[in-house]
Amino acid sequence: MSAADDLPEARFFRGGVRLPALPPFDRGQAYGDALFETLRAHRGELPWWDAHWARLTLGAQRLGLALPDPERVRAEALELLAGADAVLKLILSRGAGGRGYAPPARAEPVWTLSRHPLPPPPRAGGLRLRWCELRLAEQPALAGLKHCNRLEQVLARAEWDDPDIDEGLLRNVAGEAVCATAANVFVLHGRQWTTPPVDRCGVAGVCRQRLIELSAARVAAVAADELQRADAIFLCNAVRGILPVARLGERQWAPHPAVAELRRRLGDAHPAFVPGDD
Amino acid sequence: MSAADDLPEARFFRGGVRLPALPPFDRGQAYGDALFETLRAHRGELPWWDAHWARLTLGAQRLGLALPDPERVRAEALELLAGADAVLKLILSRGAGGRGYAPPARAEPVWTLSRHPLPPPPRAGGLRLRWCELRLAEQPALAGLKHCNRLEQVLARAEWDDPDIDEGLLRNVAGEAVCATAANVFVLHGRQWTTPPVDRCGVAGVCRQRLIELSAARVAAVAADELQRADAIFLCNAVRGILPVARLGERQWAPHPAVAELRRRLGDAHPAFVPGDD
């Protein structure tokens, strides 16, 4: 197992042609008119490729973006990974356009692949969270998509620089918990897992979807105080799998066997998420 | 007077250094973590430079972006304009960053200048508008800023391709008129001009601000039916000045002397907006 601990590397393409850099007038740069996917690679393979591509396809349909050839993208991704354990990021933009919001009629999609080192292992014993002040705006036309309009997440993540805090939970305007800045959230009451809906804000995470199936979670609003009363909570994303939570403000949780059980099951679904000794 | 009817041209800079292209891992491309300004140049000059830079400064403060040296940016802009009547666009991004929303501690801002041809003259007799279906989400943390998270505008502008429609009006979730996809809106009742607030959604347009002063407009919510009952309405932005509106759905407006008077005053404030014969 080789670790991609080198510097990140990015490659740019328009349609099927590799480019030396992002071309000028890219609508991703201009308007965030783009989607992205972040995939966990294991020994150079992308076990959840199909699920990521399916989400990208759905997002492209909703935004009216053209898709490049999936086989070409996957082949380039695998070449870039070169066998490594790493994070692969794909940005798909609508392509070049002049000034003005009107989507160009025949823009060729521009896509960027980049390889990044694995994130550091999560804090032993579980994450420490805070509530973010920023409330997520409700925009059903964009909710669920992993689009590149991410200033809300940037502002929320900028609310703290205390290294003792690992992640921040975000609420909607009604005060319900939606997600963390870069992860979805699952909440356990008794034997029932719940995760908030993502049809008004939030991202429909690939790992979230897998875990809804593995845990028979219901998708329902989670008031902030329900979260405080939960028997266990965890965060999840497709780069880090399940991240058990140990603390949210004053509230603390001991490790819970239901989380350990789900981590085992997730390890069966993606070899990079086989639980270690943490 | 020379018209910049050539192809657009873009130049990239990091701090004070010119770059051959947008560098990889730009947070503007990744997250729309950037601001922009669009300026009308007249004979190579930028009459409203100070107002645009002031708005950019305010936006940079709110997002925590570093600013490049304004004199350097202005000098590069004037060189790029080379005496032309044109549109100058400036994009200021937070700079390069790895994966993750946390703003890098010492990112150097990356800025892009581009020169674009003047837009075609507005429709003689006044614009024809439609109501957009998409409702603007309310995000006070971002409202007013000319930031690069513009998917709402992209989706709204994609709602129509009828060349008989010039612009679309956007409402907030309460159904109040906020702005057009790429312009602010002013509404006349009797002698009183009103323009909607931009503290929950919308952009604090540079031309809007100038016109609030010139027209003694009040800033107040404008219900959709108030807009239908208005004696006159116009759109405005810093590229095109005042754009009289002739039609919104079935509602039609004849040219109104109060709009003509404001256009004369705006022409005093920016030579590119001196009214013609339209």
Side-chain angles (χ1 to χ4, degrees):
Chain A
M1 192 184 332
S2 68
D5 53 2
D6 46 355
L7 288 176
E9 184 188 348
R11 297 181 183 179
F12 305 92
F13 303 83
R14 177 167 48 218
V17 179
R18 185 157 172 196
L19 305 169
L22 189 73
F25 307 110
D26 180 67
R27 288 177 58 101
Q29 184 206 2
Y31 305 131
D33 191 4
L35 297 162
F36 71 113
E37 295 289 334
T38 315
L39 298 85
R40 175 70 173 253
H42 180 72
R43 300 185 186 181
E45 298 290 325
L46 295 165
W48 286 359
W49 169 264
D50 288 347
H52 284 282
W53 193 266
R55 180 175 62 177
L56 186 74
T57 301
L58 196 66
Q61 286 167 353
R62 283 176 60 188
L63 297 186
L65 266 62
L67 281 172
D69 171 28
E71 285 315 311
R72 175 69 193 281
V73 179
R74 187 159 178 274
E76 293 286 349
L78 296 180
E79 189 191 303
L80 178 60
L81 287 167
D85 289 338
V87 176
L88 182 90
K89 182 166 176 173
L90 165 63
I91 301 178
L92 171 69
S93 108
R94 193 183 303 271
R99 285 197 328 104
Y101 296 122
R106 286 178 304 277
E108 252 197 306
V110 168
W111 43 288
T112 304
L113 289 173
S114 56
R115 187 182 73 181
H116 304 259
L118 293 182
R123 185 190 298 274
L127 299 192
R128 300 174 185 177
L129 310 188
R130 73 190 293 278
W131 287 107
C132 291
E133 292 299 321
L134 182 133
R135 300 297 179 100
L136 289 171
E138 301 204 334
Q139 179 47 273
L142 295 172
L145 302 187
K146 203 163 171 77
H147 57 69
C148 291
N149 276 200
R150 290 292 157 208
L151 275 172
E152 288 188 321
Q153 283 70 30
V154 171
L155 288 180
R157 183 57 190 82
E159 285 185 19
W160 82 94
D161 60 1
D162 178 355
D164 204 39
I165 299 294
D166 302 300
E167 249 286 23
L169 283 177
L170 285 158
R171 288 164 285 190
N172 61 17
V173 284
E176 295 156 346
V178 177
C179 54
T181 68
N184 290 109
V185 62
F186 281 67
V187 180
L188 183 69
H189 293 96
R191 293 183 172 191
Q192 179 64 58
W193 286 103
T194 306
T195 190
V198 291
D199 57 347
R200 302 191 64 80
C201 50
V203 173
V206 162
C207 192
R208 170 185 179 272
Q209 185 56 41
R210 194 62 60 110
L211 284 165
I212 288 173
E213 293 153 15
L214 290 177
S215 70
R218 66 185 188 128
V219 176
V222 176
D225 62 334
E226 284 179 87
L227 196 145
Q228 298 276 1
R229 287 199 309 268
D231 296 311
I233 73 174
F234 66 79
L235 305 184
C236 65
N237 64 39
V239 166
R240 304 180 79 185
I242 289 175
L243 297 160
V245 172
R247 210 162 78 188
L248 169 61
E250 298 302 306
R251 175 74 163 98
Q252 298 193 37
W253 288 273
H256 194 288
V259 177
E261 169 60 19
L262 261 185
R263 293 182 81 193
R264 275 192 294 276
R265 288 193 214 165
L266 194 68
D268 293 339
H270 194 309
F273 300 144
V274 172
D277 304 324
D278 60 355
Chain B
M1 193 184 325
S2 68
D5 54 1
D6 45 357
L7 289 176
E9 183 187 348
R11 296 181 182 180
F12 305 91
F13 304 83
R14 177 167 49 218
V17 179
R18 185 157 171 195
L19 306 169
L22 190 73
F25 307 110
D26 180 67
R27 289 177 58 102
Q29 184 206 2
Y31 305 130
D33 191 4
L35 296 163
F36 71 112
E37 295 290 334
T38 315
L39 297 86
R40 175 70 173 252
H42 181 73
R43 300 186 185 180
E45 297 292 324
L46 295 165
W48 286 358
W49 169 265
D50 288 347
H52 284 281
W53 193 265
R55 180 176 61 176
L56 187 73
T57 302
L58 197 65
Q61 285 167 352
R62 282 175 61 189
L63 296 186
L65 266 62
L67 282 172
D69 170 26
E71 286 315 311
R72 175 68 192 280
V73 178
R74 187 160 177 274
E76 293 287 349
L78 296 180
E79 189 191 303
L80 178 60
L81 287 167
D85 289 336
V87 176
L88 181 91
K89 182 166 175 172
L90 166 62
I91 301 177
L92 171 69
S93 108
R94 193 184 302 272
R99 285 197 326 104
Y101 296 122
R106 285 178 305 276
E108 253 197 306
V110 167
W111 43 288
T112 304
L113 289 173
S114 56
R115 188 182 72 179
H116 304 259
L118 292 183
R123 185 190 297 274
L127 299 192
R128 300 173 185 177
L129 310 188
R130 72 190 294 277
W131 288 108
C132 292
E133 293 299 320
L134 181 132
R135 301 297 179 100
L136 290 171
E138 301 204 332
Q139 179 47 273
L142 295 171
L145 303 186
K146 204 164 172 76
H147 57 69
C148 291
N149 277 199
R150 291 292 156 208
L151 275 172
E152 287 187 322
Q153 284 70 30
V154 172
L155 288 180
R157 183 58 190 81
E159 286 185 19
W160 81 95
D161 60 2
D162 178 356
D164 204 40
I165 298 294
D166 302 301
E167 250 285 24
L169 283 177
L170 285 158
R171 288 164 285 190
N172 61 18
V173 285
E176 296 156 344
V178 177
C179 55
T181 68
N184 291 109
V185 61
F186 281 68
V187 181
L188 182 70
H189 292 95
R191 294 183 171 190
Q192 180 64 57
W193 286 102
T194 306
T195 191
V198 292
D199 57 345
R200 303 191 65 80
C201 50
V203 173
V206 162
C207 191
R208 170 185 179 271
Q209 185 55 41
R210 195 61 60 109
L211 284 166
I212 288 172
E213 293 153 15
L214 290 176
S215 71
R218 66 184 188 130
V219 176
V222 176
D225 62 335
E226 284 180 87
L227 195 145
Q228 297 277 2
R229 288 198 310 267
D231 296 310
I233 73 175
F234 66 80
L235 305 184
C236 65
N237 64 38
V239 166
R240 304 180 78 185
I242 289 175
L243 297 160
V245 172
R247 209 161 80 187
L248 170 61
E250 299 303 305
R251 175 75 164 96
Q252 298 194 36
W253 288 273
H256 194 288
V259 177
E261 168 60 21
L262 260 184
R263 292 182 81 193
R264 276 192 293 276
R265 288 193 215 164
L266 194 67
D268 293 340
H270 193 309
F273 300 143
V274 172
D277 304 324
D278 60 356

